[in-house]
Amino acid sequence: MSINVNKELLRDLLEKLCKIDGASGQEDKVRKFILDTIGDKCECRITPLGCVIAEYKGKKPAAKKLMISAHMDEVGLIVTGINADGTLNINCVGGVEADAVIGRQVRLESGIIGAVGSRAVHNMTEEQRKTAPKFDGLYIDIGALDKADAQKQVSLGDYAYFTCGYAARNGIICSKAIDDRAGCAIMLAMILENALPYDCTFTFVTQEEIGLRGARTAAFDVAPDFALVLEATTAADIPLSEGDKRCCILGEGPVVSYMDRSTLYDRELYKLSVKLAEDMGIKRQTKTVIAGGNDSGAIHISRSGVRTCAVSVPCRYLHTPCCVINEEDYFDSYALSLAMAMEILSGRV
């Protein structure tokens, strides 16, 4: 099977999507970009939780109903209090480790730039130095004079976003929010390229990072026979990681897992991914650690059950201010996902 991959389109879509701020429950700007990009290529509706359900019409009906899905939200921070000195108490939105954000620059919803601070090392006890930091020991400093000054600029419940910037060099891409703007970009490229000759339902879902909530409702709405979840997944191919602890490796192709903490994936679809990758001459890998999860966990148990597979781009430093991927893995994720969709929609599975 030969798949045409429009690499420039995929690069452009990923960069534009990653630069948009949209944490769980606040995906409005991402959703607007997606709807503006799709234009009249799909019939779209918005669910009460803000998911986009895009009905794509091909030249012929599909043998089976397929839902291709990716989540719009990213991890971030949220303001939980304002202190007398004008600093902001914070917590995480999604699975963010406190030590990954100390000293980082962030941008609040109002556009104000701040820095994440913590207790100074020289003020820590020996025991505190041995303990991993927690969010109740962190704050954002926006340079406010006092609480009243801060209240003029920030409200409780405001989000704060990482300001990593976007960089691409030597086939490596660094950015915030690659999880899961990569999946959204792949879906948009499929639609814009008219890549599927069959009818198909694309779902751009919300609130994955806080419990797979949008996907659960979207899957109930769509009631698909099959689901293909497009994601980014943890790669630990970095110094100090050895053997199976590396989980998956940049440059070794898309990740198709047989199991994670929330899903036992459809075995026939898993085997299909192996065959198609071999037929197309592209790399493909699986995770060497059973860990993590994604929207598949909610989708595959919707209604009477949905046959589900996930194709993920391996990503270093997931859920941190700066994710890192290999663009060839990203391009091959597009190719493998499209090939699998063609097999499902044609009825060959």
Side-chain angles (χ1 to χ4, degrees):
M1 180 182 295
S2 177
I3 298 290
N4 178 55
V5 179
N6 187 334
K7 296 182 179 181
E8 287 307 311
L9 176 61
L10 284 165
R11 289 188 182 105
D12 180 63
L13 288 169
L14 182 60
E15 181 172 357
K16 287 176 177 175
L17 281 163
C18 285
K19 287 181 176 179
I20 303 171
D21 292 333
S24 306
Q26 197 79 341
E27 300 93 346
D28 309 60
K29 293 178 182 177
V30 185
R31 181 168 52 249
K32 182 180 185 306
F33 175 84
I34 287 167
L35 291 172
D36 289 346
T37 301
I38 290 173
D40 59 357
K41 285 186 171 288
C42 293
E43 182 179 321
C44 297
R45 63 185 185 276
I46 312 301
T47 72
L49 282 189
C51 302
V52 177
I53 298 180
E55 300 291 355
Y56 171 88
K57 294 299 179 183
K59 295 179 180 178
K60 44 190 172 181
K64 297 288 184 179
K65 190 169 190 178
L66 172 64
M67 168 178 164
I68 305 179
S69 190
H71 66 90
M72 296 184 284
D73 56 316
E74 63 188 282
V75 297
L77 307 174
I78 193 168
V79 177
T80 59
I82 302 177
N83 300 312
D85 64 356
T87 57
L88 314 175
N89 296 329
I90 55 173
N91 211 322
C92 56
V93 179
V96 183
E97 296 296 329
D99 58 0
V101 301
I102 295 173
R104 294 286 190 166
Q105 185 185 86
V106 293
R107 178 177 49 250
L108 281 96
E109 285 184 53
S110 60
I112 294 171
I113 299 295
V116 179
S118 65
R119 185 190 298 271
V121 174
H122 63 271
N123 287 334
M124 291 183 183
T125 65
E126 184 176 348
E127 189 60 32
Q128 286 173 327
R129 293 178 188 178
K130 294 177 182 177
T131 305
K134 298 180 180 179
F135 274 96
D136 60 9
L138 304 187
Y139 58 88
I140 294 177
D141 186 345
I142 60 170
L145 299 174
D146 51 29
K147 183 173 184 177
D149 185 35
Q151 287 175 323
K152 295 175 184 176
Q153 308 168 75
V154 180
S155 299
L156 299 187
D158 281 359
Y159 286 72
Y161 295 96
F162 304 128
T163 58
C164 164
Y166 190 96
R169 182 171 181 268
N170 294 333
I172 298 295
I173 297 172
C174 306
S175 177
K176 75 171 183 69
I178 289 176
D179 174 20
D180 182 30
R181 304 293 161 70
C184 292
I186 289 171
M187 288 165 46
L188 287 177
M190 287 184 186
I191 295 169
L192 293 176
E193 291 284 281
N194 295 311
L196 291 169
Y198 302 97
D199 296 347
C200 185
T201 303
F202 291 88
T203 58
F204 300 85
V205 301
T206 58
Q207 301 186 36
E208 190 267 357
E209 300 294 1
I210 57 170
L212 321 182
R213 298 175 186 179
R216 188 182 309 277
T217 60
F220 187 89
D221 184 303
V222 174
D225 301 304
F226 290 82
L228 191 56
V229 175
L230 309 184
E231 258 286 9
T233 194
T234 302
D237 58 332
I238 54 178
L240 307 181
S241 293
E242 298 180 354
D244 60 0
K245 299 301 181 185
R246 291 162 69 83
C247 192
C248 57
I249 300 170
L250 265 65
E252 290 301 311
V255 174
V256 185
S257 296
Y258 46 82
M259 177 182 177
D260 58 34
R261 287 180 181 169
S262 64
T263 311
L264 274 167
Y265 292 95
D266 185 274
R267 187 49 62 112
E268 186 179 353
L269 295 180
Y270 174 77
K271 292 179 178 178
L272 176 64
S273 74
V274 177
K275 180 181 183 301
L276 290 174
E278 290 176 351
D279 290 348
M280 291 188 292
I282 63 174
K283 295 179 178 178
R284 175 212 146 274
Q285 59 184 315
T286 192
K287 293 168 78 169
T288 56
V289 178
I290 295 174
N294 55 54
D295 279 329
S296 301
I299 293 170
H300 84 285
I301 54 174
S302 181
R303 292 183 181 262
S304 59
V306 180
R307 295 181 62 183
T308 303
C309 184
V311 177
S312 303
V313 181
C315 180
R316 294 178 189 149
Y317 323 123
L318 203 73
H319 290 189
T320 73
C322 192
C323 304
V324 174
I325 63 169
N326 181 305
E327 68 174 16
E328 289 302 324
D329 295 333
Y330 169 52
F331 299 149
D332 286 346
S333 292
Y334 171 90
L336 183 57
S337 301
L338 182 55
M340 292 190 69
M342 295 281 280
E343 292 293 301
I344 294 167
L345 292 167
S346 68
R348 290 191 287 269
V349 178

